[in-house]
Amino acid sequence: MNNTLCIDSQDISFESGQSIMQAACAAGVFIPHLCFHPDISPHGSCRLCMVQVDGRLLPACTTPAMAGQKIENNTDSLNAQRRLVTQMLFVEGDHICPGCEKTGNCQLQAVAYFLGLLEPGLPQMYPTRNIDASHADVLLDFNRCILCELCVRASREMDGKNVFAIGGRGQHAHIVINATSGRLKDSALSIEDRAVDVCPVGALMKKHQAYQKPIGQRFYDQNPIDQKGDANSHQRGEKT
Amino acid sequence: MNKKLKLATTSLAGCFGCHMSLLDLDERLLALVEHVEFDRSPLTDKKHLDHCDLGLIEGGVCNAENVEVLKDFRQHCDILIAMGACAINGGIPAMRNHFTLEECLKESYLDGIGITHPQIPNDAELPPLLNQVHPLQEVVKIDYFLPGCPLSADAIWHFFQALLQHKTADLSYTALHYD
């Protein structure tokens, strides 16, 4: 019983201080997520990792693992809720996969495949947002941002730069850039920063590296995200 | 022998890529026409739509004629399927939704690079454009969705095989893609 919890009838052990998500990842149990990254402090904002912990709905990435927890994860009911969350992420942004360089390597797309999402299910919002192409090496397309804050946290915690933050509220929430001009080229961002690598979607992307791998050889082309893991956690430079 | 299913297809605001995938069934088309008879379709050039069991629609809705054709399909088809990315979420044509219609027309016909006789087409036979491109399900009820840009011939084949066995198509991992 000590330091053991149960996810979908599978007993897994954990170390003190781990979250349910960290324990699940270590045991090879996939809990869908977008805003979680193993090297960055959890945020609990994307709500895809919601699991039933002893009957209560809680985010796996911010809930500590505790001995004896009975956790439901891969159930029809939870996956139906996750499909709805994923549909909302798709319709509130501009996720036209055929026109996005991230396609095939995108975690939003991969989670949607895992959940068997066939259609948006909700009215498209088609927001009109800007693109910041001012930086020599990095492109920021606000239309594809899902506000996971991974770049905000990576810049703060790993790069020590604080280049990004979230400004605005509700559907007006958006990434803001730490520069007097508000533009990437005047910020401290460099192409080597982890903040550039961690974007799970096609919002923050390195320039001049699009479509390097043909269809069929991209990260999620052959196997789903529960087998492949996160594209943004794999060794740097290998994911595109 | 069972009566053949009647199938109608059309392309609205699409590029005919999904119809090319239909042709990519290749020799499987011969097996398909054992069970399916084409009604109105770009492949038959039949203009009038009779009652059909199935309607496969490619492309989103970008003009008044698209709305009319889509409603006609809904009225005459028992099962209506949105085929491909544009039918499902507007796709590439919906990228014009970032701009006003006036901006699009000016860029295409007046101010764009290489235009020699600038004028906005206004022939009475041209259907009026909608202000925005819409997915099919925002106009009529859609019964099933087959994503892809284009969807693969394998996805179409799998869909028909499941349908003919009265099952819901459950696309394999490699057949389900949005690009």
Side-chain angles (χ1 to χ4, degrees):
Chain A
M1 192 68 182
N2 277 349
N3 280 8
T4 302
L5 51 76
C6 179
I7 302 181
D8 293 338
S9 307
Q10 181 185 345
D11 288 332
I12 63 171
S13 55
F14 64 91
E15 293 171 20
S16 296
Q18 280 186 322
S19 66
I20 293 172
M21 178 68 86
Q22 286 170 322
C25 286
V29 173
F30 178 67
I31 301 176
H33 57 268
L34 286 170
C35 75
F36 169 79
H37 187 289
D39 302 334
I40 303 173
S41 60
H43 193 241
S45 62
C46 78
R47 313 317 268 181
L48 272 172
C49 73
M50 297 300 279
V51 288
Q52 289 273 1
V53 185
D54 297 322
R56 291 183 66 195
L57 204 54
L58 293 167
C61 70
T62 57
T63 305
M66 294 177 74
Q69 282 170 329
K70 294 260 184 289
I71 297 165
E72 288 177 29
N73 168 43
N74 194 12
T75 68
D76 289 347
S77 150
L78 285 167
N79 283 337
Q81 291 185 43
R82 289 168 181 153
R83 267 194 291 279
L84 182 59
V85 168
T86 312
Q87 286 175 320
M88 288 195 281
L89 289 173
F90 267 97
V91 300
E92 79 173 2
D94 189 25
H95 300 284
I96 307 291
C97 295
C100 176
E101 307 96 286
K102 192 80 171 192
T103 184
N105 303 305
C106 170
Q107 288 171 224
L108 175 64
Q109 192 184 56
V111 163
Y113 291 165
F114 173 79
L115 295 168
L117 204 67
L118 297 179
E119 33 99 20
L122 301 160
Q124 294 282 343
M125 294 175 72
Y126 297 126
T128 297
R129 304 182 193 143
N130 289 328
I131 293 172
D132 185 337
S134 63
H135 196 284
D137 303 314
V138 180
L139 174 77
L140 175 53
D141 187 339
F142 294 88
N143 295 288
R144 301 173 188 154
C145 177
I146 57 168
L147 301 171
C148 68
E149 289 204 21
L150 272 173
C151 60
V152 177
R153 287 175 280 154
S155 184
R156 182 175 62 224
E157 295 173 16
M158 302 167 91
D159 304 329
K161 289 188 177 178
N162 279 310
V163 171
F164 301 104
I166 302 287
R169 292 181 183 278
Q171 67 179 23
H172 302 295
H174 60 281
I175 292 277
V176 289
I177 296 156
N178 187 1
T180 311
S181 67
R183 304 186 72 195
L184 269 188
K185 72 178 171 74
D186 300 318
S187 74
L189 188 75
S190 131
I191 191 168
E192 298 301 326
D193 289 355
R194 290 303 303 273
V196 180
D197 283 324
V198 294
C199 182
V201 294
L204 257 181
M205 301 199 64
K206 290 177 182 171
K207 288 185 177 177
H208 317 300
Q209 297 188 15
Y211 306 119
Q212 286 189 331
K213 286 205 171 170
I215 290 173
Q217 295 176 25
R218 301 168 306 180
F219 198 76
Y220 293 115
D221 275 346
Q222 302 300 332
N223 293 296
I225 192 169
D226 61 324
Q227 293 171 26
K228 292 285 290 184
D230 295 339
N232 66 2
S233 295
H234 276 249
Q235 203 173 347
R236 300 180 74 183
E238 284 189 2
K239 68 179 186 186
T240 48
Chain B
M1 190 179 148
N2 290 334
K3 193 167 159 264
K4 285 186 180 181
L5 290 176
K6 280 187 86 174
L7 168 68
T9 77
T10 191
S11 180
L12 305 179
C15 69
F16 272 90
C18 297
H19 274 81
M20 295 307 289
S21 287
L22 194 60
L23 294 179
D24 275 343
L25 285 172
D26 294 334
E27 70 270 24
R28 290 176 291 190
L29 276 169
L30 298 175
L32 184 66
V33 294
E34 292 290 320
H35 304 281
V36 168
E37 177 190 347
F38 280 88
D39 190 75
R40 173 179 168 164
S41 167
L43 309 180
T44 60
D45 211 23
K46 181 173 180 289
K47 309 294 186 197
H48 171 74
L49 187 62
D50 289 311
H51 176 264
C52 287
D53 300 291
L54 289 175
L56 274 177
I57 302 191
E58 167 191 343
V61 179
C62 80
N63 64 32
E65 193 226 3
N66 292 163
V67 176
E68 193 180 309
V69 171
L70 178 57
K71 288 184 172 173
D72 195 32
F73 265 69
R74 178 69 278 179
Q75 205 175 349
H76 288 88
C77 299
D78 291 342
I79 300 173
L80 210 53
I81 298 120
M83 174 168 70
C86 303
I88 291 172
N89 67 9
I92 299 291
M95 292 174 85
R96 82 156 157 95
N97 292 352
H98 292 299
F99 307 95
T100 65
L101 187 55
E102 186 179 359
E103 284 170 333
C104 292
L105 289 170
K106 277 187 174 170
E107 178 65 23
S108 298
Y109 296 109
L110 300 182
D111 306 329
I113 296 167
I115 291 173
T116 49
H117 301 290
Q119 54 176 326
I120 292 175
N122 64 350
D123 191 286
E125 287 204 356
L126 291 174
L129 292 168
L130 306 183
N131 283 337
Q132 288 208 316
V133 179
H134 297 274
L136 304 184
Q137 71 273 17
E138 290 186 14
V139 182
V140 299
K141 182 182 186 300
I142 296 295
D143 301 300
Y144 198 73
F145 299 85
L146 288 171
C149 182
L151 78 170
S152 64
D154 286 344
I156 298 176
W157 182 239
H158 182 80
F159 169 78
F160 276 114
Q161 281 187 313
L163 184 90
L164 291 168
Q165 294 169 32
H166 304 285
K167 292 179 184 165
T168 304
D170 190 12
L171 297 179
S172 67
Y173 182 73
T174 47
L176 171 60
H177 55 86
Y178 302 157
D179 57 1

